[in-house]
Amino acid sequence: QVQLVESGGGLVQAGGSLRLSCAASGRTFSSYAMGWFRQAPGKEREFVAAISWGGSMTYYADSVKGRFFISRDNAKNTVLLQMNSLKPEDTAVYYCAAKDDKYRGYYTRKYEYDYWGQGTQVTVSS
């Protein structure tokens, strides 16, 4: 069982940066693949970024590639999402997700994840 708590959201002007953090409980965090998703009002929850359990593999949605960076610190049970050059269209609730992973991969589909956080709001003003 893993519990996830996101933090770091807020209001930022276009072009600015934010760093989201996801703190995970549980002793087996290092065996979980992790991901970030987001959901804007009236839209489906969409994939943003993913990282393998060891951190060696990462994958990004085209819309954030080159601007967002995912990382993890297994010693601290934490996953980070560094968001740079933010745009108004990045406004959404951002969710952290965890998948108990035996295959050391990364995952981009919502249904592949086992646990979800409550989300943190990111608002980018123009």
Side-chain angles (χ1 to χ4, degrees):
Q1 193 86 9
V2 174
Q3 291 186 325
L4 305 172
V5 179
E6 303 94 336
S7 61
L11 173 64
V12 64
Q13 288 189 331
S17 298
L18 281 176
R19 188 175 74 169
L20 304 185
S21 179
C22 174
S25 65
R27 293 176 291 177
T28 59
F29 175 74
S30 59
S31 66
Y32 285 81
M34 301 296 295
W36 285 96
F37 289 75
R38 67 186 181 187
Q39 188 167 16
K43 294 189 176 182
E44 295 280 328
R45 191 172 299 188
E46 64 175 7
F47 168 76
V48 175
I51 189 166
S52 60
W53 63 266
S56 62
M57 290 188 288
T58 59
Y59 191 79
Y60 299 91
D62 287 343
S63 58
V64 306
K65 201 171 293 183
R67 299 188 299 123
F68 290 13
F69 300 94
I70 188 170
S71 62
R72 67 188 296 163
D73 185 338
N74 287 343
K76 296 182 179 179
N77 283 14
T78 301
V79 176
L80 301 176
L81 185 67
Q82 178 67 42
M83 305 187 297
N84 302 325
S85 302
L86 282 161
K87 305 175 181 180
E89 51 264 43
D90 294 319
T91 295
V93 177
Y94 283 71
Y95 297 90
C96 176
K99 172 181 174 55
D100 190 359
D101 184 30
K102 301 177 181 178
Y103 303 106
R104 306 184 182 183
Y106 60 82
Y107 302 87
T108 64
R109 297 178 176 84
K110 291 176 290 188
Y111 67 81
E112 295 177 305
Y113 285 86
D114 303 304
Y115 305 102
W116 293 83
Q118 294 297 312
T120 185
Q121 176 70 47
V122 171
T123 303
V124 184
S125 63
S126 57

